[in-house]
Amino acid sequence: MSQARIPGWIYVVVIPLINIMLAALAAAFVFWYIDVNPIDAVVAMAIGAFGDSYGLGYTLYYTTSFIFTGLAVAVAFHCGLFNIGVEGQAYMGALGLGLVCLFLGGKIPFILLLPLSIAAAGLFGGLWTLIPAWLQGYRGSHIVITTIMFNFIATAVMSYLLVEVLKPAGSMSVESAVFHPDSWLPKMYEVFAYFGLSIRRSPLNISIFWALLCTVGVYFFIWRSRWGYEIRALGQNASAAEYAGIGPGRTIIMAMMVSGILAGFFALNVVQGEAHQIKFGLVNGMGFTGIAVALMGRNHPFGIVLASLLFGFLYQGGSELQFEYGVDPRIIIILQGLVILFSGALEHMMKHPIERVYLALSQKFQQQTVAEG
């Protein structure tokens, strides 16, 4: 069976949708087991996530974070690298952004501070990948091992800085001082109010526009630039890429730096947009969830946006489910795990059956066309 005869939308749209449907079917059995009507549960989650501007704001707030972490994982995937270190890179991005906001907030205009905070978040996140990338590219150390270790190092560094350096005097909390209000990203309800429109308060802020801009940027970088071509070539066939003159070490470092930059941008949404201070544990596992987002989105930027929206729905809708039915929060983790299972570990389970069905229908349609002609 030749994959060349199968159109790309089958792999990008149809197979992911069927995988999600299978995950939903498995989730229905989970709800049935805990004596919750599956249909009622889905309705409650949908209303909680999309029913009003408050729920939608939270859903899109989570979506923004997942776009950054999903794009970070995807860029590395295209180079054949499994970047497990998005958690640590996002932490370092938060540190860079936080230092800019702490020391320059209120001292320079916001229009000057914003590009500095964006640059600092990306720079700190990108530089945190430099050693693992160099070790992979020039010394053969596996990127999974080194990035995992750098997650622990990032956690230790943040813990030390928040306890010994950045914590305000007299405070017992492991967090920095609150940034000057002039450095805060505007919330979307404030933007709407500026234009005379009213929506409910939520953490959704203007970093969502930067996330969407990064989505477009990653698409052009990966599929419309020479650097992206080198990254994809190395990821698909390292020996052939090296024979063609593509330096593996340089390309690996470039891919990981871009991946880390995107991970660092996570801080714009969570730190500058919502928390307004550096907190211990601020990433909260969203870097690891970015792996599932990238897998579900087939490492395509626009697929990642849709996958991020789904996980935003699970996060916010799950909160509503806990409130409505008193469901144990761990059930929501199970739902996320089912989506990851069917979209990640079992992503090819339905691939060959769907290919056979498509080819059979295509052949039947061609025969009918010839008979009618």
Side-chain angles (χ1 to χ4, degrees):
M1 184 182 299
S2 174
Q3 281 196 10
R5 300 169 59 189
I6 309 294
W9 58 268
I10 292 291
Y11 301 105
V12 176
V13 178
V14 176
I15 293 178
L17 283 177
I18 291 178
N19 287 337
I20 291 172
M21 291 171 63
L22 291 174
L25 181 62
F29 284 102
V30 174
F31 285 124
W32 173 78
Y33 178 77
I34 62 175
D35 292 327
V36 175
N37 186 305
I39 296 178
D40 292 342
V42 171
V43 170
M45 291 178 70
I47 292 175
F50 303 113
D52 57 21
S53 58
Y54 175 81
L56 181 60
Y58 268 93
T59 300
L60 294 179
Y61 168 72
Y62 296 130
T63 298
T64 303
S65 294
F66 293 136
I67 289 175
F68 287 129
T69 58
L71 289 175
V73 174
V75 170
F77 268 151
H78 280 294
C79 196
L81 305 170
F82 201 180
N83 182 8
I84 305 292
V86 173
E87 289 270 318
Q89 294 147 24
Y91 255 136
M92 289 297 105
L95 176 61
L97 179 145
L99 292 176
V100 169
C101 292
L102 283 171
F103 293 105
L104 296 180
K107 298 178 181 177
I108 63 174
F110 178 77
I111 196 170
L112 296 179
L113 183 139
L114 181 58
L116 289 177
S117 64
I118 292 174
L123 182 63
F124 274 58
L127 289 177
W128 198 247
T129 69
L130 191 57
I131 293 177
W134 184 85
L135 290 173
Q136 168 78 36
Y138 292 100
R139 288 295 180 265
S141 300
H142 203 288
I143 198 73
V144 171
I145 303 300
T146 54
T147 51
I148 286 177
M149 294 306 298
F150 266 66
N151 281 341
F152 288 106
I153 295 172
T155 301
V157 169
M158 289 293 285
S159 177
Y160 171 79
L161 290 176
L162 288 174
V163 172
E164 301 293 340
V165 181
L166 299 176
K167 186 176 70 173
S171 173
M172 298 298 293
S173 300
V174 186
E175 57 192 28
S176 72
V178 176
F179 305 154
H180 192 281
D182 288 349
S183 67
W184 300 358
L185 288 184
K187 298 286 201 303
M188 288 306 297
Y189 70 83
E190 297 171 331
V191 175
F192 274 73
Y194 180 80
F195 292 100
L197 302 174
S198 177
I199 61 173
R200 295 181 62 185
R201 290 172 175 259
S202 73
L204 181 63
N205 56 77
I206 63 170
S207 66
I208 189 172
F209 298 120
W210 183 247
L212 296 176
L213 188 62
C214 288
T215 300
V216 177
V218 168
Y219 172 79
F220 281 99
F221 175 74
I222 294 295
W223 280 280
R224 294 291 185 270
S225 74
R226 177 175 62 86
W227 303 287
Y229 173 80
E230 292 178 352
I231 287 172
R232 288 184 291 116
L234 187 66
Q236 292 173 14
N237 193 322
S239 299
E242 190 171 1
Y243 182 77
I246 297 174
R250 174 180 56 83
T251 305
I252 287 171
I253 290 176
M254 176 175 61
M256 285 298 294
M257 284 285 288
V258 173
S259 179
I261 288 170
L262 291 165
F265 289 155
F266 168 91
L268 290 168
N269 184 44
V270 174
V271 179
Q272 193 173 5
E274 169 57 14
H276 305 139
Q277 58 183 162
I278 310 172
K279 293 185 177 183
F280 189 74
L282 60 92
V283 184
N284 197 27
M286 290 189 177
F288 292 119
T289 307
I291 299 171
V293 170
L295 289 172
M296 179 178 294
R298 294 299 187 271
N299 297 316
H300 192 286
F302 302 110
I304 286 170
V305 171
L306 297 178
S308 299
L309 184 62
L310 173 63
F311 274 88
F313 161 74
L314 290 176
Y315 266 62
Q316 176 58 21
S319 300
E320 184 67 20
L321 201 61
Q322 296 172 37
F323 176 77
E324 190 77 20
Y325 293 98
V327 172
D328 192 304
R330 288 171 291 187
I331 294 296
I332 307 307
I333 298 176
I334 293 175
L335 298 183
Q336 296 169 10
L338 288 171
V339 173
I340 294 170
L341 176 66
F342 283 94
S343 299
L346 301 178
E347 65 172 324
H348 296 302
M349 182 175 66
M350 297 301 296
K351 177 182 175 182
H352 295 304
I354 292 172
E355 287 178 343
R356 286 193 291 268
V357 169
Y358 176 84
L359 290 174
L361 292 175
S362 179
Q363 185 178 11
K364 183 177 180 180
F365 176 76
Q366 290 176 0
Q367 291 173 349
Q368 289 178 348
T369 302
V370 171
E372 291 174 358

